[in-house]
Each structure stands twice: as C-alpha cells, then as structure tokens.
Amino acid sequence: MARVNEHYLKLTASYLFSEIARRVKAFQAAHPGAKIIRLGIGDVTQPLPPAVIAALHAAVDEMGRAATFRGYGPEPGYEFLAELIARHDYASRGVTVATDEIFVSDGAKSDTGNIQEIFAADCVIALTDPVYPVYLDSNVMAGRAGDAGADGRYDRVVYLPCVAENGFEPPLPERPVDLVYLCFPNNPTGAVLSRAALRRWVDWAREHGAVLLYDAAYEAYIRDTDVPHSIYEIEGARAVAIEFRSFSKTAGFTGTRCAFTVVPREVQGRDAAGAPVSLNALWLRRQSTKFNGVPYVVQRGAAAVYTDEGQKQVRALVDHYMDNARVIRDGLEAAGLRVYGGRNAPYIWVKTPPGLSSWDFFDKLLGEAHVVGTPGAGFGPSGEGYFRLTAFGQRGETQEAVERIKRRLAL
Ligand code: MLT
C-alpha cells in the first residue's frame, strides 16, 4: 500500500462547510417536513447579470465555429480580461498593476489554498483567528502548521485573535513570521481595515521581510470611503503583498468560477542562500505546470462585468445582498443579540446568547427555527461564542429566517 501524506491526518475535522452540510442533511432526513433556510455557506442566490449571460452565449457561439474556436488559452488568462482588470479594478483607484502581474484563475479558494506551495515548508505563517478555513487547512496539508493541541491551535501557527474587544482588528505578530494571511472585508467577522490600519500592516511587513497574502474577495461590499479596496492603495505594498480577488461574490460566479490573483514584480522571497527570488515568476511556473486556465467562455463572461451595463448590474446585485445584510442586522438587534459586520461585508457576525457555545447555537437555530448558519468555532478558537449568517440568501427566505430567529429567542 502506498504511504499517504500524513499531514492530512493532522486536519482536525472535515472541511467546515462539508460538516455543516452533513449535519443539515441528517436533520432534514429526520424531519422531512421542516422547511430549512440556509444562511450558512456564503453562496450567492441571484442569477448571473444579463450582460454576463449575453457574453457567455456569444462566446459559446464562437466556440462552435471553426474560425473562432479556441483550444488551450494562456495559463495566466487572456489579455483581454487582464487589461480590463488592470484598468477598472486598479488604475481607477490610482494603482498601477501590469497585465503580466494578473493571474486569472478558477477561484480565490484555489489560489489562497495553493499559494503556500511556492514557499518553504519551514516558513512560519500567521493567521487571523477566526479565519477562512482554507488558509489553515492548506498549510496543515503541507506540513507547515505542526500539531493541533487540545485547544485546537496548531503549534507552529501564529494566531492573531480578532474579537469584539479589539474591534476584530488583528494585532501585529509578536514573534517573527514569514507569511500573514489577511482577509478584508473579513470572512467571517465582516470587519474591515481602515487605511491607517492597513498601512501599519504594510509597514510592518516591509520592516520584517514578511509577505502579506491579502484576500480581497469581498471588496465590492465596501461602503465606507476610508476603507481601501486594494492593499496596493497603500504605498509600498507592491513589495510585500499578493492580492486575491474573485468574481464569485461580486458578480455571482460561485458556480461559474473565475477569480484572479495579483503578484507584483517587486514582491520577492529568498532562496536558502538569501538571494532574492521573484514570486511572480514562481507563481507563473506553478500555474503553468498545474493549471490550464479558466475556460475562454467564462473569461468572456467575466469581461462583461466591466461593461457599463455589467457594472450597473453588478452594483445592483451587491446592493441587493447588502439590503439582506441590513434585514439580518436590524432583525437580530431587535431580538436583543449583539451583532457585528454586515456594513461593509456580506457577513453578519453575531455574539451567541449567554451560556450557548457556537455549536449549541447552531443546533438550536437548526432544531427550533430550521435556520442554518455557521458556528464561529468552526473558523478557529477565537470564533467560539460567535455565529455567522450570510447575506447571500433569497430576500424572502432571509426575512423569514430573521422572523423565525426572533420568535425563538423571544421564548
Ligand atoms: C464561506 O461561506 O465562507 C464561503 O462561501 C466559502 C468560499 O468562498 O469558499
């Protein structure tokens, strides 16, 4: 028998959202009549914008004609999409990003999970806690996290607690680390970093020779004008940061799959002898070896997001979900719960009622209100005592879920 990668055996449990799906399925099987409302996984529910649909249709027709058929595309993505990204997502905010610094991919989940491969196995990583589980689990699989203790913390990972007491803003690491995963607007807490706070991180990374892995998948949800949409809005960030973006939550692409990662030419690692190595070159090498690019049709669909019509339609989608966020926030506050997030992010982070752990609250809401959320503890030890609801549900279901929760908590 072939020996397995035993680092996988160090993963503490199944992937969070698979575990939730398993529990919900079991509950549904036991209560076939229950009308369950799912506000757990952050999956969008509105259809793709019409401009995207039209572009997808047109691209499918191109694939059906010999003259316009495409086979393998360039692994980092088609130039037409990279140019639009560079212009609309960056130049419009005064940020220069070249097209060969943009790597189009099938998702920010894949990219944030895969990026660790280009770093040494003994790099020390720091994570905000709670955290999107992919950052941790991909490092556990690679053997970089060490062993989990009784408290669920891995002994080689530096945890940066983000709790109500510090405004969900991660403290700077107190010991040397090589890589820091930051996600803002944050999944799961819904918190954002001000320009000044992000500048502190960039300055710290420059001073300590660390690389910031900045997940900005939810930037379209930012409302406050002082909150940067890209880490490259901060001077000096190009030398220390890799940024991840996605069309999933912005334009409804969770099932269509398109995202991109920016690796500036300036950002470098080092080899064992201390000589600088371009991370852009390593990521290009990694992607061209292991990834064959996003389908042409899908990239055409993503490009349509940047048309005038596409932009209007995408803004309407985001506004729709942010209205859901307001419905959840207002309803849960009226029910007497302490509520965070949901102002610049599609996630609402709720303090669980006294005496209830986050899994207790999950079971209570599923069992009594038939509403599915995500227990905060699933995102890390500092998520204990919190619970996440997503604003990506259908409007009617979101309203009904909030009413059901209010009724249950009033009892
Ligand atoms: C979440 O619910 O945290 C997200 O949907 C997960 C993801 O984007 O992969």
Side-chain angles (χ1 to χ4, degrees), residues 17 41-42 109 132 187 218 249 347 388:
F17 296 105
I41 191 163
K109 177 178 184 172
Y132 177 45
N187 176 15
Y218 300 95
K249 312 299 162 77
Y347 293 119
R388 193 193 76 174

Side-chain angles (χ1 to χ4, degrees), residues 6 31 83 159 199 252 261 272:
E6 286 177 30
H31 304 86
E83 270 172 13
Y159 290 84
R199 187 171 303 124
T261 289

Side-chain angles (χ1 to χ4, degrees), residues 12 26 51 88 91 99 127 137 159 165 171 185 206 222 246 287 332 337 350 354 376 395:
T12 45
H88 290 269
T99 54
L127 299 174
D137 288 359
Y159 290 84
E165 291 69 27
R206 290 178 69 96
I222 294 172
S246 173
Q287 289 298 79
L332 297 190
L337 290 167
V350 186
R395 174 64 47 79

Side-chain angles (χ1 to χ4, degrees), residues 233-250:
E233 291 176 49
I234 308 297
E235 204 188 326
R238 282 180 55 90
V240 290
I242 291 175
E243 179 166 290
F244 306 89
R245 293 275 191 109
S246 173
F247 294 95
S248 283
K249 312 299 162 77
T250 309

